[in-house]
Amino acid sequence: MSTAPFGSFSPQGGLVQIGSKEELVRQRLEDERRRLEREAGIERRQVQRFQRPVERPFTKSQRDDTTILFGGLTWKHEKLVHGALESLGYKCEAVPVPNKKAFQLGKEYGNNGQCNPTYFTVGNLVEYLQNLEETGLTRREILDRYVFFTAGACGPCRFGMYEAEYRLALRNSGFDGFRVLLFQQSGGLNQAEAEAGLEMNLDFFLGILNALNIGDVVNDVAYQIRPFEVNPGETDRVLDECMDLLHEVMRKTQPYSLEGKLGSLLKKTSFAGTAEYLGKFLNQLYGDDYTAALREVRDRFNTIPVDRTRVKPLVKVTGEFWAQTTEGDGNFNMFRFLEKEGAQVLVEPIGTWIMYMIHQAKQETKDERGLDLIRNHVPKWNLAKVFGSHVNTRQKLAKLTVAEKIFAREYHKLIDALGGIAHHLTDQYELQRMGHPFYNSRAGGGEGHLEVAKNIYYSNKDLCHMVLSLKPFGCMPSTQSDGAQSAVVSQYKDMIFIPIETSGEGDVNAHSRVQMALGEAKVRAKNEMNEVLKQTGVTLEEVRQFAQENPELQQPMYKYGHHKGVVGVAANFVLHVAERMKAQRREVVVVN
Ligand code: SF4
C-alpha cells in the first residue's frame, strides 16, 4: 500500500491532511467508533494498564538477612534444592505444596482467565506471606527479609505471564514491592549479575541440577516400592530418613574451587577462570559425593520387604509440567488416590523436561541454519561468510549435543548408584519421531508434542496399562494436544488413555472418571497375569513360596528384567521366578 501523503474530508466536512492511507483508515475508524459510542451512550473511561514495577534489587550485602523462597515441585525435589542453596550460603525456605486455599487466593488477587497452575502457585506465595504476617512480622519486614525465586520464560503459553501475575497478585494483596527473582529457562548457565544477591552462576546451576536429578531418581524408586511394601507405611518412613540424609549431603557439599599449591599458582595467571570452570566440570563428572550417598540410600531402601506378586495396573502419569509433578490439591492428590485404588504410578521425572529443552534448542539451531546470511544480505559467493555461518551453527549444535550427553550420563550415573531400578530418560528423538505426525514438534509451549508422544511411547513399549494425562483448566498447549490425542487413540485402539482436567475443584468427579478407566486397566493387568500363569504352568502360591525361600526376591533392588508384551510388575516377576524354578529343578535332576 502506498504511503504517499494526501488530503481528505473529515465527516464534519473540513479538509484534513492525512499522512497516509493507513492514517486515513485509522481516523475513519476512530470517528465511526466515537459516533457509535455517542449513539449508544457509552462513556469512555481511561484504561489503567498494569505496569511492571521498578524492582528493588536483592544485593549481596542483604544475603545474610534475606530468605529466598521457592516451590512448585515435589517435597523431595524441594528438600534437595534447599540443601543445594544452603551449601552456596543462602538462607532459603520451600513454600508448602499449594492447597485449595492458595487456589482461591490466586483467583482473588490475580487476573481472570489464567491457567490453573498460575492460580495455585501465585496464590500459594500470597498465602505464605499472609501466614508470615500472622506470626507477627510486619509487611515492611516481610518485604525486606524475603524474596521469591522462580522460573521464567517468554511464553508462548501463559508461562510467559507468571512473573507479571506474581507481581499483580502481590500488589493486590498488599505486598506491593515484594521481590520476585527469575531465572530464564533459555538463559544458559550463567545469568549472574555482579553483586547480585542470588548469583546464578555455574555453581548455582550445577547445585540445582544435581538436586533435581537426585530428587527424580529417589522419587521414581519410592513410587516403585510403595505399592508392593509388605509393611504399610515403611517406604514413607525410610524415604523420610533418606531425604534427611541426602539433604545433609547436599548442604555439606561445597562447590569446587582452585585450592592447594597448584590452585594458588593458577589463580595468579590469566588461565585461572578457565581452570576453575574445567575443575568444576571434572569434579561434577568424576566426583563421588552424591553417588556414595545414593548407594547408602539404596541399601536402606533394600531393607523394605516387598511382595511383587500383587497384581497392579501400571499407570503412567503425563500431562502439563506442573500438574503432573505436584503432589497435592493441584492435581486432586492424584498419586495417592491411584495408589489407594490399587495402582502403581509411573511418575514423570523433571529430567525429561530438561532434555526436552536442550532438544528444542538443537531443533531451533538447525531450523535457523543460514538465516543470518539471508538477514544480512550475504551473497552466496562470499564463501568466507557462508563458511563462518556454517561453522557457527556447527559449534552451537556441538555444544548442545555435549550438554545432552553429559546430562544423560550424569542422570544415569545416579540411577546406577541407587540400584539401577529407576527408569532411564526417554529418548527425545524417539519421542519426536512418534509425536510429530500428530503434533508438530516445532510447536512450543507447555509440554509441546511430549504429551502425545509419551502416550504412544509408554503404551506401545508395554511400559504401562493406562496413561493418565493431567491437564490444567485453561491450559493452552494441553487443549491443543487434547485434539491431537483423539487422532492418537483412534489409531492405537488398544490404548487406555484418560485426560483429566485439573481445575481446583471437582475432585469427586475427576476421581470417579479415573476409577472407571482404572477398572479397565485392572482387568487388563489380571488377564495378563492369567496368561502368564497359563504359559508358565506355575501358580501364584508356588511363586510366593519360592520368594519366601529366596529372600533376595523380596528385596526391592532385585532386578529381573522386562519381557516384551508383558507390562505389569507381578506378571514379569512370575515369568522370572518360573524360569528360576525351572533352572532349580534341572539342577536337582542333574545332582540326582
Ligand atoms: S503449559 Fe498450560 S498450564 Fe502450564 S503455564 Fe502454560 S498454559 Fe499454563
Side-chain angles (χ1 to χ4, degrees):
M1 188 188 274
S2 155
T3 54
F6 62 98
S8 168
F9 283 96
S10 75
Q12 285 74 30
L15 180 67
V16 182
Q17 279 302 317
I18 306 293
S20 66
K21 284 183 189 172
E22 285 95 334
E23 280 178 41
L24 174 64
V25 172
R26 240 190 321 272
Q27 179 152 353
R28 287 263 166 91
L29 269 173
E30 184 59 21
D31 291 342
E32 191 55 17
R33 186 177 291 122
R34 282 181 195 281
R35 187 183 68 77
L36 290 170
E37 282 173 355
R38 261 197 317 274
E39 280 178 20
I42 297 171
E43 185 195 336
R44 271 213 191 181
R45 291 218 186 101
Q46 192 71 27
V47 179
Q48 285 206 342
R49 293 205 166 78
F50 173 72
Q51 301 280 340
R52 182 184 173 177
V54 180
E55 186 134 289
R56 286 181 307 131
F58 169 39
T59 60
K60 210 169 186 172
S61 60
Q62 297 167 352
R63 202 180 277 175
D64 292 343
D65 310 309
T66 308
T67 303
I68 299 170
L69 304 175
F70 64 94
L73 306 168
T74 73
W75 70 269
K76 290 140 272 185
H77 292 91
E78 285 165 1
K79 191 155 187 162
L80 297 173
V81 169
H82 188 275
L85 289 177
E86 278 192 324
S87 84
L88 296 171
Y90 297 109
K91 274 173 79 176
C92 53
E93 213 54 70
V95 292
V97 176
N99 54 18
K100 288 207 175 122
K101 186 177 172 206
F103 171 74
Q104 296 301 348
L105 286 172
K107 281 192 130 176
E108 186 180 342
Y109 295 119
N111 267 315
N112 288 334
Q114 293 302 307
C115 57
N116 199 32
T118 319
Y119 288 136
F120 268 103
T121 50
V122 170
N124 201 34
L125 177 61
V126 172
E127 187 183 1
Y128 187 86
L129 300 186
Q130 288 179 339
N131 289 343
L132 281 180
E133 210 175 6
E134 277 168 25
T135 63
L137 284 179
T138 64
R139 289 205 171 173
R140 186 74 256 158
E141 284 168 332
I142 293 172
L143 298 191
D144 289 344
R145 291 198 218 153
Y146 291 86
V147 295
F148 185 65
F149 169 60
T150 186
C154 62
C157 71
R158 291 190 182 92
F159 194 30
M161 296 301 297
Y162 268 42
E163 183 197 359
E165 275 302 307
Y166 275 116
R167 294 184 202 280
L168 177 69
L170 287 165
R171 189 186 74 182
N172 290 348
S173 59
F175 294 98
D176 201 5
F178 186 84
R179 290 163 291 175
V180 178
L181 312 175
L182 282 194
F183 83 89
Q184 292 293 338
Q185 284 194 109
S186 54
L189 281 185
N190 201 341
Q191 301 179 33
E193 285 170 29
E195 296 306 301
L198 181 61
E199 282 185 74
M200 291 187 227
N201 51 21
L202 186 60
D203 289 336
F204 174 83
F205 280 102
L206 288 179
I208 300 280
L209 284 179
N210 283 321
L212 296 181
N213 287 350
I214 296 173
D216 273 351
V217 294
V218 173
N219 200 31
D220 183 344
V221 166
Y223 273 101
Q224 286 192 52
I225 300 175
R226 198 182 298 109
F228 302 97
E229 65 188 7
V230 172
N231 308 311
E234 195 170 358
T235 310
D236 284 341
R237 185 184 55 73
V238 175
L239 178 63
D240 270 348
E241 286 171 17
C242 291
M243 290 316 298
D244 287 345
L245 178 136
L246 289 169
H247 175 261
E248 268 311 280
V249 172
M250 297 297 303
R251 198 174 66 81
K252 287 186 181 150
T253 305
Q254 286 301 304
Y256 174 87
S257 63
L258 289 178
E259 273 168 14
K261 274 188 190 165
L262 183 65
S264 320
L265 271 176
L266 280 169
K267 271 184 191 165
K268 289 176 193 152
T269 67
S270 57
F271 185 59
T274 316
E276 188 148 283
Y277 249 67
L278 209 63
K280 286 181 194 300
F281 271 115
L282 291 176
N283 186 50
Q284 171 67 35
L285 294 179
Y286 301 107
D288 194 31
D289 298 310
Y290 305 128
T291 43
L294 283 174
R295 284 193 287 274
E296 164 73 25
V297 170
R298 172 199 64 194
D299 294 343
R300 292 194 190 186
F301 271 138
N302 216 18
T303 59
I304 305 170
V306 290
D307 172 10
R308 289 196 183 88
T309 59
R310 294 174 186 167
V311 182
K312 287 180 177 285
L314 191 42
V315 179
K316 171 67 192 168
V317 173
T318 64
E320 187 268 345
F321 177 82
W322 184 80
Q324 72 185 353
T325 306
T326 189
E327 294 176 314
D329 291 349
N331 60 12
F332 304 126
N333 293 285
M334 198 53 86
F335 300 107
R336 288 288 162 173
F337 174 76
L338 285 166
E339 288 189 346
K340 192 169 73 57
E341 289 296 312
Q344 180 193 348
V345 183
L346 187 49
V347 283
E348 187 58 41
I350 294 170
T352 310
W353 173 255
I354 297 171
M355 286 297 269
Y356 170 67
M357 299 302 293
I358 304 175
H359 179 261
Q360 290 300 88
K362 273 182 90 172
Q363 189 69 62
E364 209 176 296
T365 309
K366 283 183 198 161
D367 290 348
E368 288 178 358
R369 193 193 311 245
L371 282 186
D372 56 327
L373 298 173
I374 298 170
R375 199 168 38 240
N376 299 324
H377 307 291
V378 177
K380 279 185 188 152
W381 49 261
N382 191 340
L383 294 181
K385 287 211 166 159
V386 171
F387 184 68
S389 159
H390 182 72
V391 169
N392 206 4
T393 305
R394 287 261 158 211
Q395 277 177 344
K396 257 192 188 170
L397 284 173
K399 279 186 199 163
L400 288 165
T401 306
V402 170
E404 208 170 38
K405 295 244 178 306
I406 290 182
F407 185 80
R409 176 193 182 272
E410 289 301 287
Y411 194 90
H412 297 141
K413 182 173 91 180
L414 298 175
I415 289 183
D416 291 344
L418 191 55
I421 66 164
H423 295 86
H424 277 217
L425 290 168
T426 32
D427 183 349
Q428 289 293 329
Y429 297 89
E430 191 159 9
L431 288 176
Q432 185 184 27
R433 188 180 58 74
M434 288 177 164
H436 188 79
F438 298 94
Y439 193 106
N440 195 313
S441 57
R442 264 75 166 187
E447 290 264 315
H449 64 276
L450 289 189
E451 273 192 57
V452 168
K454 283 185 216 165
N455 189 13
I456 305 171
Y457 182 92
Y458 283 91
S459 304
N460 272 11
K461 288 191 178 281
D462 308 318
L463 295 171
C464 69
H465 293 105
M466 160 181 156
V467 175
L468 166 62
S469 180
L470 297 167
K471 305 158 136 349
F473 172 75
C475 172
M476 275 181 336
S478 272
T479 310
Q480 279 171 209
S481 68
D482 248 1
Q485 295 283 21
S486 43
V488 173
V489 290
S490 68
Q491 182 150 335
Y492 299 94
K493 300 225 183 293
D494 281 349
M495 238 173 218
I496 305 180
F497 170 71
I498 176 163
I500 290 287
E501 193 171 76
T502 59
S503 60
E505 46 218 11
D507 306 36
V508 178
N509 188 21
H511 286 169
S512 99
R513 285 192 58 218
V514 172
Q515 254 168 344
M516 278 200 281
L518 202 56
E520 222 184 305
K522 279 181 183 171
V523 170
R524 194 168 283 185
K526 271 190 196 145
N527 289 345
E528 178 185 74
M529 176 57 104
N530 290 338
E531 199 57 42
V532 163
L533 290 174
K534 209 159 94 191
Q535 180 192 327
T536 54
V538 296
T539 65
L540 263 186
E541 267 321 301
E542 285 169 343
V543 173
R544 284 192 191 117
Q545 184 60 36
F546 191 83
Q548 284 290 327
E549 290 158 11
N550 298 276
E552 74 279 7
L553 292 173
Q554 298 164 44
Q555 291 180 322
M557 294 300 158
Y558 180 79
K559 291 199 268 292
Y560 51 91
H562 178 261
H563 292 75
K564 184 143 181 53
V566 182
V567 177
V569 164
N572 276 297
F573 185 67
V574 167
L575 280 170
H576 172 73
V577 173
E579 274 165 29
R580 273 190 62 172
M581 286 163 81
K582 216 158 123 188
Q584 201 180 51
R585 276 198 294 270
R586 272 200 303 268
E587 271 171 34
V588 173
V589 172
V590 171
V591 171
N592 290 338

